[in-house]
Amino acid sequence: MKKYQIYTILALILMTIGFTIPVISFHGMGAKIKNNQPIPTYTKMIFNQYTKLQYKNHIIPDDVKNDLDKLIETRAEIGVPSLPVWYVSLEAPNYPKEAFPDGIPVYFHVDGYSGDVHEMNTINHYIGMYPMEHGGNVERSIAPYYLLVATLLMIWYLYYNGKFNSLLLVPTIIAPILFMGAFTGWLYWYGHNMQEWGAFKIKPFMPTALGDGKVAQFTTHSYPSIGFWVMIAMSVLCILAILSKNKFLKEKAK
């Protein structure tokens, strides 16, 4: 097996397991859950397996946390099963460590959210900020198709040696950049579109995209999660695959 094939296959495995399978399997399920429609068995199996290591609010019973049927039955907060890409947490005096050991954490995924989204929206409403679900709808809706196309292009790259073959890996290479561009862009939009309903008025601001910050009496923490590092690994592997394949094709042409 050639080096470029190894690099591409490794990136393909990360993409497929970390993003493509969970995103596509759960696509449209949020609406079905909201409308009390049946959920496919394979979706439940994937969700239950993928979310075992994800954050769940500590007040959710252990026998409920990893069972989609029970989460729906108890009307618990349900996130998405794909790898979380970014992590944001808020801490404040009215959220003591004893009751909120992780603060108010929310995880951003390419296709949605997980964590204490409802509580975060309550805090956002307090300062006049739109609910999280208001932004990124286009990005979340196209994520399954983008991932499917990127996955198929990686498979094609393994067999196609013609001109511009390197372009087949571009969607995977630029994935971290696209996510950060959308993430920071929407943070700016949220911070500069404050509404009058807020009980506490603050001036337009840029929320902290990376690191620790301060908003009113809240301390914010914003850092990459495992999904972002998987994206970086995929990007690096694809770049290595291109370099290796270009070298292989040049030597083959001599």
Side-chain angles (χ1 to χ4, degrees), residues 157 166 169 173 237-247:
Y157 181 78
S166 300
L169 297 186
I173 292 173
L237 286 167
C238 285
I239 292 172
L240 291 174
I242 290 173
L243 295 174
S244 177
K245 187 169 188 176
N246 288 344
K247 181 180 178 181

Side-chain angles (χ1 to χ4, degrees), residues 5-218:
Q5 294 173 325
I6 295 174
Y7 293 139
T8 306
I9 290 172
L10 288 175
L12 183 60
I13 291 172
L14 292 176
M15 169 78 86
T16 304
I17 295 177
F19 298 102
T20 309
I21 289 175
V23 169
I24 291 178
S25 70
F26 206 71
H27 182 52
M29 293 303 116
K32 287 191 173 184
I33 292 172
K34 188 179 294 184
N35 296 323
N36 296 316
Q37 295 177 321
I39 306 299
T41 301
Y42 71 86
T43 297
K44 295 177 184 178
M45 292 174 59
I46 292 173
F47 181 93
N48 294 344
Q49 288 299 318
Y50 270 81
T51 59
K52 280 184 178 180
L53 298 179
Q54 284 188 12
Y55 167 85
K56 302 284 194 340
N57 192 293
H58 62 284
I59 65 173
I60 299 176
D62 291 337
D63 64 328
V64 174
K65 287 182 178 180
N66 301 315
D67 189 317
L68 183 56
D69 282 330
K70 291 183 179 179
L71 287 169
I72 295 172
E73 182 182 342
T74 58
R75 299 184 181 277
E77 195 153 15
I78 299 172
V80 293
S82 60
L83 291 179
V85 183
W86 210 263
Y87 162 81
V88 173
S89 177
L90 296 182
E91 294 181 2
N94 50 321
Y95 292 101
K97 279 285 187 182
E98 299 76 29
F100 299 88
D102 300 297
I104 305 299
V106 167
Y107 293 85
F108 292 79
H109 303 243
V110 295
D111 59 330
Y113 311 99
S114 64
D116 295 331
V117 178
H118 177 75
E119 192 66 33
M120 182 72 80
N121 282 337
T122 301
I123 296 170
N124 289 344
H125 188 276
Y126 175 74
I127 63 173
M129 188 176 285
Y130 278 102
M132 292 172 54
E133 297 86 349
H134 189 85
N137 289 306
V138 173
E139 292 89 337
R140 292 195 299 274
S141 64
I142 66 174
Y145 307 102
Y146 187 94
L147 290 167
L148 179 59
V149 169
T151 302
L152 293 175
L153 289 178
M154 277 195 280
I155 296 173
W156 189 10
Y157 181 78
L158 288 169
Y159 303 100
Y160 177 65
N161 297 330
K163 289 184 177 181
F164 309 114
N165 64 80
S166 300
L167 295 179
L168 298 175
L169 297 186
V170 169
T172 303
I173 292 173
I174 66 174
I177 299 172
L178 291 178
F179 177 86
M180 284 305 300
F183 179 66
T184 54
W186 277 109
L187 284 181
Y188 179 89
W189 186 90
Y190 275 106
H192 288 78
N193 287 274
M194 311 299 288
Q195 299 301 300
E196 293 299 322
W197 66 58
F200 188 86
K201 300 296 188 293
I202 62 175
K203 295 180 180 180
F205 70 105
M206 177 62 194
T208 303
L210 176 61
D212 303 321
K214 192 81 173 176
V215 181
Q217 78 268 34
F218 299 100

